[in-house]
Amino acid sequence: MSASAFLVERTGDTERWTLNDPTTRNALSDAMVLGLYEAALRAQKDETLRVIILTGAPGAFSAGGSLGNFASAIGQPLQPGDDDPLITLNKGFGDVLHALCALPQLLVCAVDGAAMGGGFGLVCCADHVIATQRSSFATPEVTLGLPPAQIAPFVWQRLGDAAARQCLLQGRSYRGAEAQALGLVDELVADDALEAALRERVQAMKRAAPGAVASTKRLLQRLRGDLPDLRSEAAIAFASALRGPEAAAGLAAFAKKQPAPWVEKG
């Protein structure tokens, strides 16, 4: 993977993980997803690590999944008997979300800018979310002809059924204050106050004993474990939609900054 696509900085018992591709507004490339997954697996075994901060390079938290590697598959049906590589790729992001939720450390998301699609899903895995007032949050997949497949269970867990339906079925966008009212954001700060608020929050979090935190998170994870594991089903749904006519039309319209064919004119 690119050495700069995903950054890990360690200070004492705290790590800062940065999604680092400003040119794409930190879109979730394969390299970035792999970096996140490997970091999460490593952190699960690190008893000296207490707090993880997940953030994006300046300009955005994350614009969501990168479709660059999927371009040749958009609107192209799978040939009979062929295995679909899109399923494996999409399931890999589901693995990241599960790994983040399984972290024994406290996970803080620091959001300044857009958290879209997969970025929204990452935020839903956090134990605490700090966002600036200018931040925005959305799950626009359905407006593009795609299901928000892997993130759906995590949005549902974070927000509950009613709010998850607003996000996932309508593709609505929320500014910082609206996201706080929704329950997605825990702490809203001024645009120039994120770093100061982050330092204060991390210091406060360290009042909690690391062993007690890990044990409590395991108990909470057991509650999540009662839900069905939808990674494979979600990956199949996403791959099928991406190869279908709706996604082809929706993504083409998006690229041309035009309404999708199913949007009522008037």
Side-chain angles (χ1 to χ4, degrees):
M1 85 178 204
S2 169
S4 61
F6 179 73
L7 302 179
V8 177
E9 301 168 272
R10 178 86 177 226
T11 304
D13 55 10
T14 301
E15 284 190 355
R16 187 182 185 108
W17 297 354
T18 304
L19 308 174
N20 187 47
D21 191 359
T23 59
T24 66
R25 298 169 71 219
N26 305 319
L28 297 165
S29 64
D30 292 347
M32 201 177 286
V33 169
L34 178 60
L36 260 175
Y37 186 58
E38 291 179 342
L41 293 185
R42 173 187 52 78
Q44 288 175 18
K45 301 175 183 178
D46 188 346
E47 295 182 356
T48 68
L49 182 61
R50 297 182 63 185
V51 179
I52 297 165
I53 300 164
L54 178 59
T55 191
F61 179 75
S62 174
S66 172
L67 293 177
N69 291 340
F70 300 155
S72 63
I74 295 173
Q76 300 301 313
L78 192 67
Q79 296 302 312
D82 286 351
D83 293 329
D84 195 340
L86 299 182
I87 293 175
T88 300
L89 288 172
N90 185 257
K91 186 175 179 293
F93 185 62
D95 293 340
V96 168
L97 298 174
H98 279 264
L100 290 177
C101 287
L103 287 168
Q105 299 87 4
L106 289 161
L107 176 63
V108 181
C109 275
V111 181
D112 184 23
M116 314 291 284
F120 193 114
L122 293 175
V123 171
C124 288
C125 297
D127 299 306
H128 190 85
V129 179
I130 304 178
T132 58
Q133 293 177 342
R134 65 186 167 203
S135 295
S136 60
F137 303 82
T139 54
E141 287 90 335
V142 291
T143 69
L144 303 174
L146 292 166
Q150 295 296 344
I151 71 170
F154 299 89
V155 176
W156 187 88
Q157 286 174 350
R158 175 83 185 188
L159 302 181
D161 187 72
R165 286 174 181 271
Q166 288 185 34
C167 296
L168 300 174
L169 296 177
Q170 300 180 45
R172 290 181 58 181
S173 179
Y174 301 87
R175 301 295 294 179
E178 296 172 312
Q180 186 179 36
L182 195 68
L184 180 63
V185 171
D186 298 300
E187 189 175 350
L188 192 66
V189 301
D191 294 342
D192 60 352
L194 181 61
E195 290 302 322
L198 192 55
R199 287 192 297 270
E200 183 176 343
R201 174 53 53 187
V202 170
Q203 184 177 7
M205 282 181 155
K206 289 183 181 179
R207 293 200 299 262
V213 166
S215 179
T216 302
K217 290 193 69 171
R218 282 194 297 269
L219 292 173
L220 295 174
Q221 183 67 19
R222 286 288 303 276
L223 294 175
R224 293 191 182 105
D226 291 334
L227 294 172
D229 185 342
L230 300 179
R231 275 175 282 187
S232 295
E233 182 178 343
I236 292 169
F238 177 84
S240 176
L242 191 65
R243 292 185 179 281
E246 275 192 352
L251 291 168
F254 177 77
K256 296 176 182 177
K257 298 183 179 180
Q258 297 175 351
W262 52 81
V263 176
E264 184 175 345
K265 311 297 191 293

